[in-house]
Amino acid sequence: MRYAQTEVGNILLNTMAAPDYALLEPHFQRIALPVRLQLHEAGCKIEKIYFPEDGIVSIVAVTLDGKQCEVGLFGREGMSETATVMGTDHSPHEAYVQIEGTSSLTLATSVLDEAMARSSTLRLHLLKYVQAMVIQISTSIAAAGQTIEQRLARWLLMCHDRVNGDTIQLTHEFMAMMLNVRRAGVTIALNDLAERQFIITGRGKVIIIDRLGLERLAAGSYGLAETEYTRLVRAPLRRGVDGANRTIGQPSATLQEQLQDHYSI
């Protein structure tokens, strides 16, 4: 099967130079990304690279005593296992799907290694994405001193950037693990955001109804990584800054239908 560059749903592949994409395209396979699918196990050799077309993948740090904490996330704007771009075939982090995706293009790590050896422009393009991820992760560290409500607002905004529509399918348990807090803390924070009318929550989903309010609450911890991604990759990521996504704070066309289902959530 052929995968025309203009038709794939991954931004990093869309913005790649056509000759570089041609080095990879014959080797792609398209797979689904079910929730909890593990793309990489900590400490193991990286065998495959994934370029999601939808869905969200968590990059998870694992401590020596087995505790997990999300340190980064990506979706259709990126790729898995950036360690390969840096010249290594191992990573101490895990990567698994937190929000289901219908498709991802994947290829063997050896194919990407060979393509980067042949093309300096391909490696440079991917290195720019690595830089964007470094900024995202460093911002996560800086946000660690914020309140749970502020951290949750930032995290919901990042998920909102990477999904279609305003509904994010997430359980309280998963959010607690990703934020490295107790479930009770997440429940209280979600209730607070709902009382402020930023979101509607229930039955494993969160509906964003006031994005601008969430951005204000995040207090500067959101926006830098997204702006840098746009500068480096030359494609928009943040909602409200491109023609494809709705204006920040303006309800989507389907939001009223989602609100009608509020009492059945």
Side-chain angles (χ1 to χ4, degrees), residues 232-243:
L232 292 163
V233 182
R234 299 188 180 279
L237 170 61
R238 181 177 179 176
R239 286 282 188 101
V241 298
D242 65 10

Side-chain angles (χ1 to χ4, degrees), residues 31-84:
I31 65 167
L33 294 177
V35 173
R36 300 287 182 174
L37 175 66
Q38 188 174 53
L39 306 188
H40 178 251
E41 185 177 352
C44 294
K45 185 175 181 179
I46 302 169
E47 301 286 355
K48 291 184 177 181
I49 306 297
Y50 298 81
F51 295 87
E53 296 181 282
D54 57 4
I56 297 178
V57 178
S58 287
I59 304 169
V60 178
V62 183
T63 63
L64 293 177
D65 57 358
K67 293 181 180 179
Q68 295 183 328
C69 178
E70 182 183 77
V71 295
L73 61 82
F74 65 94
R76 57 193 171 198
E77 88 288 356
M79 60 178 285
S80 69
E81 309 314 331
T82 54
T84 57

Side-chain angles (χ1 to χ4, degrees), residues 21-188:
Y21 181 81
L23 294 175
L24 306 178
E25 190 271 337
H27 306 280
F28 281 134
Q29 291 184 328
R30 183 172 271 136
I31 65 167
L33 294 177
V35 173
R36 300 287 182 174
L37 175 66
Q38 188 174 53
L39 306 188
H40 178 251
E41 185 177 352
C44 294
K45 185 175 181 179
I46 302 169
E47 301 286 355
K48 291 184 177 181
I49 306 297
Y50 298 81
F51 295 87
E53 296 181 282
D54 57 4
I56 297 178
V57 178
S58 287
I59 304 169
V60 178
V62 183
T63 63
L64 293 177
D65 57 358
K67 293 181 180 179
Q68 295 183 328
C69 178
E70 182 183 77
V71 295
L73 61 82
F74 65 94
R76 57 193 171 198
E77 88 288 356
M79 60 178 285
S80 69
E81 309 314 331
T82 54
T84 57
V85 183
M86 306 299 290
T88 180
D89 59 0
H90 283 73
S91 172
H93 295 151
E94 295 185 348
Y96 56 85
V97 178
Q98 66 164 264
I99 295 179
E100 180 180 12
T102 58
S103 66
S104 172
L105 294 179
T106 182
L107 47 67
T109 303
S110 58
V111 172
L112 182 62
D113 288 342
E114 181 179 347
M116 288 190 295
R118 294 175 58 184
S119 172
S120 60
T121 57
L122 173 60
R123 184 181 292 277
L124 178 59
H125 180 67
L126 298 182
L127 280 172
K128 288 179 179 180
Y129 172 68
V130 173
Q131 170 67 2
M133 283 301 300
V134 168
I135 294 169
Q136 183 198 121
I137 293 170
S138 64
T139 305
S140 297
I141 296 171
Q146 291 185 313
T147 66
I148 296 178
E149 289 79 7
Q150 289 173 315
R151 291 165 56 199
L152 180 59
R154 173 180 178 264
W155 192 68
L156 289 174
L157 287 165
M158 292 172 67
C159 290
H160 194 217
D161 285 335
R162 293 163 171 84
V163 300
N164 296 319
D166 299 298
T167 300
I168 304 171
Q169 302 288 344
L170 289 167
T171 64
H172 289 202
E173 292 88 349
F174 200 94
M175 284 185 271
M177 182 174 67
M178 292 300 96
L179 293 171
N180 196 28
V181 298
R182 297 177 62 186
R183 176 182 171 178
V186 168
T187 300
I188 293 171

Side-chain angles (χ1 to χ4, degrees), residues 1-19:
M1 177 179 284
R2 308 297 293 183
Y3 302 98
Q5 184 176 13
T6 56
E7 296 176 1
V8 299
N10 181 277
I11 299 172
L12 196 59
L13 295 177
N14 287 154
T15 54
M16 192 175 288

